[in-house]
Amino acid sequence: LMNRGPQRNTDDLDPANAGYSGAQGLAHVLGRHGVRVTVVRSQRELLDQVIDGATTVAVTGTNSLSGRTAHAALVHAASAASLVLLDPDPEVTKGMGLPVASHLTDLTDVAAGCRGTDVGQAFRLARADRAYLPTTSGSAATTCFSDKTDEGGAMVSLPAADGRPPVTMLGDESLIVNGAILDSDNAAIALHRSEEH
């Protein structure tokens, strides 16, 4: 789990933060399910980690990543079982060379409505502020939590490609915070994305 920020347990989305904006609740549940959670807070710490086919790499705080740093993270995570990006903006998706466009949106309590993923069709995401749209025609990407106004969806899953593991983008990082993880089906969605392998 890559989290951009200093080692303090008051940082937003930090698994060591037990407050409203932290992600300690999800980290503890994953631990109880036998998932080893390793928190890295810098590019150097990520590059020092051994990543293999049993590893899911989740990146939060993507708005502080440059395109170059995002590309380096993708290259290092190439052998991972999956890569999960929470609320990546165009700088990150472009830096990683991902075939998606994105736009800001305002979705609330939206149903998944997709097939072919382990996220149930009836699962509901409490909110999302970004939607993604695959840009490759005939793509095997899966789009969930539809933005019916501007197309695309709050979650897009891309299959593995040359030099890239399967990638899932979720257009709202607040679904994992302690204060919102119990809203709608946020907890189930977060656990399914984190426990894929």
Side-chain angles (χ1 to χ4, degrees):
L1 185 63
M2 183 176 177
N3 182 281
R4 301 282 296 171
Q7 291 190 344
R8 299 191 333 261
N9 58 8
T10 57
D11 289 333
D12 292 349
L13 305 166
D14 197 303
N17 180 352
Y20 183 94
S21 66
Q24 190 177 83
L26 176 60
H28 281 179
V29 171
L30 288 170
R32 287 198 299 270
H33 281 74
V35 176
R36 185 168 64 90
V37 176
T38 301
V39 180
V40 299
R41 296 179 174 90
S42 70
Q43 180 182 15
R44 174 48 49 201
E45 288 182 31
L46 175 65
L47 297 179
D48 286 343
Q49 294 296 315
V50 175
I51 295 174
D52 59 23
T55 306
T56 293
V57 177
V59 184
T60 66
T62 55
N63 61 347
S64 63
L65 296 180
S66 68
R68 178 182 292 181
T69 301
H71 177 72
L74 177 70
V75 169
H76 189 64
S79 61
S82 65
L83 174 62
V84 178
L85 305 173
L86 295 182
D87 202 20
D89 64 19
E91 172 119 4
V92 170
T93 56
K94 183 178 178 183
M96 290 186 171
L98 301 178
V100 295
S102 69
H103 58 268
L104 296 178
T105 188
D106 185 16
L107 302 178
T108 56
D109 194 33
V110 59
C114 56
R115 298 177 184 271
T117 74
D118 55 1
V119 173
Q121 288 188 69
F123 279 18
R124 303 192 77 83
L125 182 65
R127 65 175 301 276
D129 58 14
R130 189 177 299 276
Y132 301 92
L133 181 65
T135 56
T136 306
S137 60
S139 169
T142 303
T143 302
C144 303
F145 306 107
S146 175
D147 180 359
K148 293 182 171 58
T149 303
D150 294 312
E151 299 185 337
M155 186 178 97
V156 168
S157 297
L158 302 173
D162 187 30
R164 185 186 80 209
V167 177
T168 297
M169 289 153 283
L170 272 163
D172 180 52
E173 56 189 7
S174 74
L175 88 158
I176 70 167
V177 303
N178 301 324
I181 198 162
L182 296 181
D183 294 347
S184 300
D185 292 312
N186 283 359
I189 295 164
L191 286 170
H192 277 286
R193 293 297 89 201
S194 302
E195 289 190 306
E196 291 177 306
H197 299 274

